[in-house]
């Protein structure tokens, strides 16, 4: 990874519908434009995410997706309205940011939820994407959501039962994610805090067997950031990200001509390798790199694979 750097420019982009989306730019102002698309949804951008880029060759653009990070209003505020926070709104924000910064085409880099948003954006605007580097591929299909929040429970039955029992008894055999979304909108702060804790305990369990799966990997974040993360996650996943089932894989032909490197940990329980393999099969321009010692949270090997992939695209026009 490259040494830490600080942004040379930042601001808030007014979306025109009540949101102010935070953005920042670092690296070389004359370098190759690249957009970092963070995961979660709701995690916000981090300084570490830009360290995969050579700062002499890249103009590195980051943004906090709606209602998280430094974007406003913040989802930790129960009065913040999430009805205008959907995948399609985020795609429009990315286009608005591209135009605001005067970028013609940019490389997209991200992973996990970020891979879904990157794919949705690239399939909507393929002419604006030069290359893509994707870690921990997920397309947020209903089958993938069900696997992450129910199927993986076969490996962690005790922890999954606690996750299930975090919602009212009448809803435990139904849509758990919709139940959590309702709890995260409850006017009682104690109800929201408990729901967020229960959700994050499950997220921690899923990655607990990984190299980087230390206790509190997800839940060890400031209270406001934790509340926003869970509220936005439950909002998105209970609505299957407002995407037709399987549409990103079905429309992968729209990515023709966009070179990509898909980097995926073989032991990623939350986002099984099958996701990346299926996408690589449907996308002729994609090269799949399987990291044998990594799960969802990465490893030393993955930390080397990311800059290698980005360096490989740095000289491309």
């Amino acid at each position: 990874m490259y040494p830490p750097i600080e942004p040379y420019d930042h601001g808030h982009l007014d979306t025109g519908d009540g949101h102010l989306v935070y953005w920042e730019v670092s690296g070389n102002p004359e370098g190759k434009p690249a957009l970092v698309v963070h995961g979660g949804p709701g995690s916000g951008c981090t300084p570490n995410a830009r360290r995969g880029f050579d700062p002499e060759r890249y103009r590195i653009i980051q943004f906090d997706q709606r209602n998280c990070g430094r974007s406003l209003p913040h989802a930790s505020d129960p009065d913040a309205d999430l009805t205008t926070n959907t995948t399609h709104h985020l795609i429009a924000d990315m286009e608005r940011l591209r135009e605001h910064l005067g970028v013609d085409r940019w490389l997209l880099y991200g992973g996990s939820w970020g891979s879904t948003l990157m794919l949705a954006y690239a399939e909507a605007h393929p002419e604006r994407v030069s290359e893509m580097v994707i870690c921990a591929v997920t397309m947020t299909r209903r089958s993938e959501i069900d696997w992450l929040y129910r199927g993986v429970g076969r490996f962690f039955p005790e922890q999954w039962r606690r996750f299930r029992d975090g919602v009212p008894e009448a809803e435990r055999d139904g849509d758990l994610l919709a139940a959590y979304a309702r709890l995260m909108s409850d006017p009682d702060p104690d109800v929201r805090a408990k729901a967020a804790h229960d959700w994050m305990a499950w997220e921690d369990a899923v990655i607990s067997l990984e190299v980087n799966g230390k206790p509190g990997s997800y839940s060890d974040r400031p209270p406001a950031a934790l509340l926003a993360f869970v509220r936005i996650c439950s909002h998105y996943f209970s609505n299957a990200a407002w995407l037709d089932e399987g549409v990103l894989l079905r429309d992968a032909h729209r990515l023709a001509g966009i070179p990509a490197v898909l980097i995926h940990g073989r032991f990623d329980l939350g986002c099984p390798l099958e996701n990346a393999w299926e996408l690589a099969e449907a996308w002729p321009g994609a090269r799949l790199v399987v990291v044998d010692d990594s799960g969802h949270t990465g490893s030393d090997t993955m930390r080397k694979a990311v800059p290698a992939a980005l360096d490989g695209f740095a000289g491309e026009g």
Side-chain angles (χ1 to χ4, degrees):
M1 305 292 277
Y2 286 93
I5 55 174
E6 292 299 317
Y8 65 79
D9 196 10
H10 69 278
H12 280 92
L13 184 68
D14 190 339
T15 65
D17 59 357
H19 291 266
L20 295 174
V21 173
Y22 176 81
W23 59 269
E24 60 188 27
V25 188
S26 55
N28 182 353
E30 304 301 322
K32 179 186 180 75
L35 180 69
V36 180
V37 184
H38 69 69
S43 67
C45 65
T46 64
N48 200 51
R50 54 181 171 257
R51 292 186 57 198
F53 296 89
D54 181 344
E56 296 298 321
R57 296 196 285 174
Y58 275 105
R59 179 187 179 195
I60 310 157
I61 302 163
Q62 296 178 268
F63 74 111
D64 290 329
Q65 294 160 31
R66 291 187 177 209
N67 300 119
C68 72
R70 286 152 288 188
S71 290
L72 300 169
H74 200 262
S76 60
D77 180 352
D79 292 330
D81 182 7
L82 300 192
T83 56
T84 53
N85 187 342
T86 71
T87 302
H88 308 292
H89 287 96
L90 299 185
I91 292 171
D93 291 346
M94 292 163 69
E95 266 298 271
R96 190 176 287 109
L97 180 59
R98 182 190 62 77
E99 294 172 354
H100 176 73
L101 296 176
V103 173
D104 181 44
R105 299 169 74 231
W106 48 13
L107 176 147
L108 302 183
Y109 163 66
S112 193
W113 155 254
S115 63
T116 293
L117 182 53
M118 291 161 60
L119 290 166
Y121 174 87
E123 291 181 6
H125 303 283
E127 73 284 358
R128 298 304 180 186
V129 181
S130 56
E131 303 91 7
M132 297 172 72
V133 176
I134 307 177
C135 299
V137 175
T138 177
M139 293 170 277
T140 315
R141 294 171 289 187
R142 286 169 177 80
S143 57
E144 295 174 59
I145 297 169
D146 185 68
W147 169 256
L148 177 57
Y149 293 105
R150 189 176 297 272
V152 181
R154 68 190 63 181
F155 296 102
F156 307 100
E158 181 180 357
Q159 294 90 336
W160 185 80
R161 178 174 290 182
R162 286 200 291 267
F163 174 67
R164 182 201 66 181
D165 290 352
V167 308
E169 186 173 358
E171 298 181 275
R172 290 173 187 169
D173 293 326
D175 188 338
L176 289 178
L177 306 188
Y180 268 100
R182 285 192 290 274
L183 291 173
M184 291 306 301
S185 297
D186 194 284
D188 187 336
D190 292 335
V191 170
R192 297 195 303 275
K194 181 182 184 304
H197 174 270
D198 291 341
W199 179 289
M200 286 302 211
W202 172 245
E203 299 276 7
D204 285 341
V206 173
I207 53 94
S208 61
L209 303 180
E210 299 184 6
V211 174
N212 293 332
K214 64 182 185 300
S217 292
Y218 279 98
S219 56
D220 185 16
R221 60 185 70 200
L226 188 148
L227 287 169
F229 182 96
V230 176
R231 188 177 177 205
I232 295 171
C233 275
S234 58
H235 171 64
Y236 267 76
F237 296 150
S238 62
N239 286 286
W242 298 272
L243 296 171
D244 291 341
E245 181 66 0
V247 66
L248 298 182
L249 185 62
R250 188 167 63 248
D251 287 353
H253 62 89
R254 294 184 56 80
L255 304 172
I258 302 175
V261 179
L262 313 180
I263 305 171
H264 206 101
R266 187 174 298 279
F267 298 110
D268 189 335
L269 277 179
C271 297
L273 176 58
E274 181 182 36
N275 299 336
W277 185 84
E278 288 179 326
L279 182 60
E281 287 285 293
W283 184 356
R287 176 170 62 92
L288 176 60
V289 176
V290 179
V291 184
D292 285 326
D293 68 350
S294 179
H296 195 71
T297 55
S299 65
D300 288 341
T301 307
M302 186 173 283
R303 279 188 288 274
K304 294 174 182 176
V306 169
L310 294 170
D311 285 348
F313 288 137
E316 301 294 326

